[in-house]
Amino acid sequence: MAKKQDVYYFNNFVACAEESCHAAHLLKDVLANFNPDDLTGRLDEMHAIETRADGRKHEAMDRLAKEFIPPIEREDIITLSQYLDDLTDKIEDVLLRIYMNHVTRIEPAAVEMTDVIIRCCEAVKELLEEFSDFKRSKKLKEQIIRINELEEESDRLFMSSMRELHTQSADPLHIIAWREIYGYLEHCADACEHAADVVESVVMKNS
């Protein structure tokens, strides 16, 4: 277990991951119960989550700037904080693209991809809850592998969704809009894997 004075950073990582989980669940709610007339209000809800996540990251960076000896390398704290912030940003980006592309109906594949993102975000949160005990933990490797598997599942859904889009739609504007949205959904899973990669790197450097 991390020393008492070091726990702050690990708790902050978990708090940032929790914000990404909130964002993912909000996105799923919007897509599953889609109403274009409500979209502006839902965007405000999403932006409030993203703003909280930004605040947590900036708080950690401010503390790190004054820290004499952090519990792990500064570069790892900075990189992991940025990836977690990127994750919440990318979830918000999905909703922004739905709004900007004036989407009027949701493709079922997008809901399916969002379900994977929720599972991926929750897996990242579980990983980070274990991270403070990284020198002794027996669970981290299994959790990292799980996140990698979820990212691969997201990749498969992305490819099948894109193929279906191009083979079954004749509307070029619909294709352009959903190509972009599917791409942003896939980026969310990538961000989860990037966060797990940092944790794996810290474990390897301290083995």
Side-chain angles (χ1 to χ4, degrees):
M1 184 62 65
K3 296 178 182 178
K4 186 174 181 180
Q5 65 268 28
D6 293 339
V7 165
Y8 167 80
Y9 294 101
F10 297 104
N11 287 344
N12 185 272
F13 295 146
V14 173
C16 290
E18 286 174 345
E19 298 295 359
S20 72
C21 290
H22 294 325
H25 281 285
L26 175 57
L27 179 62
K28 169 64 182 297
D29 185 52
V30 173
L31 299 188
N33 304 286
F34 190 64
N35 183 348
D37 295 335
D38 294 340
L39 201 50
T40 301
R42 306 316 297 272
L43 277 167
D44 289 341
E45 291 179 50
M46 183 68 81
H47 190 63
I49 296 172
E50 189 274 335
T51 299
R52 285 201 308 269
D54 270 348
R56 295 187 187 283
K57 183 193 76 171
H58 292 312
E59 182 184 280
M61 295 303 97
D62 289 345
R63 177 157 178 160
L64 185 61
K66 303 169 188 174
E67 193 77 71
F68 181 56
I69 303 178
I72 58 177
E73 292 184 15
R74 288 177 194 278
E75 291 77 8
D76 291 324
I77 293 174
I78 293 168
T79 302
L80 181 53
S81 295
Q82 186 59 57
Y83 281 143
L84 293 171
D85 187 58
D86 285 348
L87 174 53
T88 306
D89 287 346
K90 291 182 188 305
I91 296 170
E92 182 184 30
D93 283 341
V94 175
L95 200 53
L96 286 168
R97 266 62 196 178
I98 289 171
Y99 173 77
M100 290 188 290
N101 287 321
H102 191 52
V103 168
T104 56
R105 65 177 178 84
I106 299 300
E107 293 288 341
V111 179
E112 192 174 358
M113 290 182 74
T114 304
D115 284 333
V116 176
I117 292 167
I118 288 173
R119 288 156 54 203
C120 210
C121 288
E122 290 176 345
V124 168
K125 184 170 84 72
E126 291 171 7
L127 174 70
L128 295 172
E129 287 171 340
E130 186 72 14
F131 189 29
S132 63
D133 197 30
F134 69 90
K135 291 184 179 179
R136 291 182 292 275
S137 175
K138 305 298 183 184
K139 300 178 182 178
L140 287 176
K141 182 177 180 180
E142 178 182 327
Q143 290 170 322
I144 290 166
I145 291 171
R146 175 61 178 153
I147 293 166
N148 291 339
E149 289 172 345
L150 286 167
E151 193 277 333
E152 290 174 1
E153 183 177 349
S154 178
D155 280 346
R156 290 192 294 272
L157 282 171
F158 172 72
M159 288 187 289
S160 63
S161 299
M162 291 288 279
R163 178 169 176 79
E164 181 177 342
L165 178 66
H166 286 89
T167 56
Q168 297 190 14
S169 178
D171 181 352
L173 292 179
H174 182 81
I175 292 172
I176 291 168
W178 279 99
R179 280 185 62 169
E180 185 177 39
I181 294 165
Y182 285 147
Y184 274 92
L185 283 164
E186 205 275 330
H187 293 335
C188 296
D190 288 343
C192 289
E193 186 175 48
H194 293 330
D197 288 344
V198 177
V199 173
E200 184 174 36
S201 175
V202 170
V203 172
M204 292 298 294
K205 285 188 283 189
N206 289 274
S207 296

